[in-house]
Every structure is written in structure tokens, then in C-alpha cells.
Amino acid sequence: MIVNDKIKKLADKYHENKFSHAFLLVTNNLSKCSNDIKELIKIISCPNNFEENCQKCNLCYQIDKNLISNIVQINPDGTNIKKNQIQELKHFFMTKPILIKNNIYIINSAEKLNPSAANTMLKFIEEPEDNIIGFLITTNKENVLDTIKSRCQIINVNYSNINNLELLNISENEYLTIENLVIKYLDGLITKYEDGFFLNRIIFTSDNKNRKQIIDFFTYLFYLFDDLINGKEILKFEFLKKIPYNNFKKIQRIIFNILESLFFNTNLDLVLDKFVIEMEELI
Ligand SMILES: [Zn+2]
């Protein structure tokens, strides 16, 4: 399953025929991003209506096992990606794809394309054949050559790296989206299966979340309550029904104040614990 929402959206774009021929994915986790791209490739290539763990076709299986010759992954050969690796790719893609609709390449660590490899790459990106799609992945956008950046659609693909979440019964595939994290946190607070301060420690502190990530978290929470106030989402989560409707606005106000404090250089633990204390009056 695709973990990252932005990559999920790309599948829709593909089916709406709004797909670029080259993407630069800027990520904080190369292997997770690479896995998500592989999932995306299955979705856009599956001859059946793709469903999770597609069992209908041999093709998804072959993509999983890297057996499709029209899908090429390039990794740095030593410290960088060399010109001959790109030349090979070009040569290889001169034939039309057979099993799947597109020839697809994935370049892991695109910042390691050495200048001559990048030059070879440029023409390839600039004058793509109809059926070639490229995914360039990097954890270091600054070091990707500008000429490459300007020819790709750039997408930021971030993953949270949360440890200790087994404590919350969050499975590995599940916990990575901010939405899941927010829901688990709220559920924990409201149904009180964990002490709120403890929740703060495992979700925020032990994972060394930075201020920006915590702000994103509370921003998401803020908009969730917007939806709740407007009567949306409420039925989706059983535990939310425990909060009196009249309190939604008050809670949103608290979230707003927390966000405000987070923008200043206040002690994170204090702010987070204040949130728990104030929430406890309303849930
Ligand atoms: Zn399939």
C-alpha cells in the first residue's frame, strides 16, 4: 500500500492523464519513497482494476519481484551515478515496452548523478518518448543539478519516523501518515486508554519530533475540528461521539492557542502537556 498521500494522489493524476514524464521526489526516507513508487507503478500498470495486494495478475507479482525488464532502477555505482549507466538506460528504452504500457526508470539518489551522467540525462528528460516515465528520488535537493530540477515536476514526500508506536498498536504501514497519527492520538486522549502525558512522550518527545512537525500535527488537528464543527467526519470515528458537540469550538480554540505558542520559542513539552490538561476538561 502507498504510505505517502502525495504519491497516492499521483495515481489519480495518472488516470486523469495529467501525468508528468519526469518527477523529482524530494524525501527524508529513500527506501520508503522507493517502495511507494513501486506501489504506484503497480497501480498504473496493473491490467486489472488494481486492488491492494493484487492477486489477479501475474504482473503485479512480477513488479514486486523486480522481474519486469521495462522497469529499471538505477543506484549509484560507487559514489556516483555514471554516464554509462544512463547511456545503457537510453539504449534499453529504445525498444517499446511489451508487458506494461510504459518504460519506467527510477533513479535513487539523483543528487549523485555526476555532471556527464546528468548531461546525458537531460536530453532524455527533455525529449521524452510518449511511453517513458521517470522517477528521480533524492534526500538532498540542494545537490541535484538545477538543469535536472527545472525539467522535473518536484514533489516533496515526507515520512515520519516514529519509534515506540507498537505501544499504540499502530502497524508499520499505518502510522506514517499525519492523519493516522492525529487520529490515534485523539483516540488515546478521548478513550483514555493511555495517560495523556504518556501519549505526548511517545508520539512527540521520544521520536524527537521537531517543532515544524508538531506544528503540522496541530494544524491538521485544527482542520479536523473545522470539519467536525461543520458536521463532517464525525461518523467516521466512533470515539469522537463522546465529545459534546458544543465543545468542538472550544477545543478548536485550544488548538489555535497551542499553535500560537508553538510558533514562539516556548518549551515543547510544556506546551504539549498544557494541551492535555486543557483537553481533559472538555472530553
Ligand atoms: Zn495487478
Side-chain angles (χ1 to χ4, degrees):
M1 111 177 192
I2 297 181
V3 171
N4 184 276
D5 287 338
K6 289 196 185 149
I7 298 187
K8 260 185 220 158
K9 286 198 184 115
L10 283 182
D12 300 333
K13 291 260 184 281
Y14 181 83
H15 291 117
E16 293 161 9
N17 282 321
K18 292 179 194 153
F19 214 63
S20 301
H21 55 266
F23 296 91
L24 177 64
L25 304 149
V26 181
T27 185
N28 58 353
N29 191 319
L30 197 68
S31 66
K32 279 179 184 154
C33 185
S34 201
N35 277 338
D36 268 358
I37 290 301
K38 203 191 255 183
E39 288 297 306
L40 173 69
I41 293 171
K42 283 199 269 181
I43 293 175
I44 66 179
S45 307
C46 178
N48 301 303
N49 257 342
F50 179 84
E51 280 166 38
E52 234 34 85
N53 304 319
C54 174
Q55 304 291 338
K56 288 192 198 125
C57 68
N58 193 25
L59 194 65
C60 286
Y61 172 82
Q62 292 188 60
I63 293 173
D64 255 343
K65 300 282 174 228
N66 299 323
L67 296 173
I68 304 277
S69 58
N70 303 98
I71 303 171
V72 179
Q73 285 217 45
I74 295 181
N75 291 302
D77 174 11
T79 51
N80 51 34
I81 296 170
K82 301 192 170 79
K83 185 177 177 180
N84 68 318
Q85 291 177 274
I86 304 299
Q87 280 171 328
E88 264 171 39
L89 178 71
K90 277 174 112 167
H91 186 76
F92 191 69
F93 281 178
M94 278 161 53
T95 51
K96 294 254 178 266
I98 307 160
L99 283 172
I100 57 175
K101 277 178 250 153
N102 303 289
N103 279 320
I104 299 175
Y105 61 94
I106 301 170
I107 298 183
N108 291 312
S109 304
E111 76 280 2
K112 297 204 170 129
L113 280 160
N114 74 19
S116 63
N119 262 331
T120 312
M121 189 81 225
L122 287 185
K123 249 188 132 31
F124 193 54
I125 305 183
E126 213 156 39
E127 295 161 16
E129 312 264 334
D130 275 349
N131 45 22
I132 296 182
I133 300 174
F135 298 99
L136 291 79
I137 308 178
T138 183
T139 51
N140 187 346
K141 184 181 164 195
E142 303 315 310
N143 286 1
V144 177
L145 294 169
D146 286 338
T147 43
I148 297 274
K149 275 188 263 191
S150 65
R151 287 165 177 82
C152 293
Q153 182 181 344
I154 300 177
I155 300 179
N156 291 313
V157 178
N158 282 315
Y159 299 87
S160 54
N161 304 304
I162 299 136
N163 306 315
N164 280 341
L165 281 190
E166 308 85 73
L167 287 167
L168 289 176
N169 293 321
I170 298 177
S171 73
E172 229 222 311
N173 283 331
E174 199 190 353
Y175 66 70
L176 294 155
T177 66
I178 198 162
E179 179 187 5
N180 273 320
L181 202 55
V182 167
I183 295 304
K184 291 282 174 183
Y185 181 74
L186 265 189
D187 188 13
L189 274 188
I190 294 166
T191 51
K192 300 188 172 61
Y193 67 72
E194 279 305 350
D195 169 76
F197 300 123
F198 179 68
L199 273 178
N200 280 345
R201 299 291 96 79
I202 53 177
I203 289 204
F204 303 108
T205 320
S206 70
D207 185 43
N208 285 321
K209 283 220 170 321
N210 62 36
R211 194 170 291 264
K212 160 88 175 60
Q213 290 169 312
I214 297 176
I215 289 173
D216 287 346
F217 180 96
F218 279 94
T219 305
Y220 188 95
L221 194 57
F222 182 86
Y223 285 110
L224 176 68
F225 273 87
D226 228 26
D227 282 345
L228 294 175
I229 291 164
N230 293 316
K232 290 184 231 158
E233 301 282 352
I234 181 83
L235 293 170
K236 231 164 99 184
F237 308 107
E238 194 62 33
F239 63 89
L240 287 172
K241 294 180 193 156
K242 292 181 186 156
I243 307 179
Y245 178 81
N246 289 338
N247 286 354
F248 286 156
K249 269 213 153 100
K250 292 179 197 158
I251 293 175
Q252 198 186 34
R253 186 76 223 167
I254 294 176
I255 300 168
F256 182 83
N257 291 337
I258 294 291
L259 275 167
E260 233 176 23
S261 317
L262 287 171
F263 280 109
F264 294 103
N265 202 17
T266 36
N267 180 303
L268 285 177
D269 283 343
L270 286 182
V271 178
L272 295 168
D273 287 349
K274 183 170 169 253
F275 178 69
V276 169
I277 294 166
E278 293 184 2
M279 279 293 278
E280 271 168 3
E281 316 236 319
L282 297 169
I283 56 182

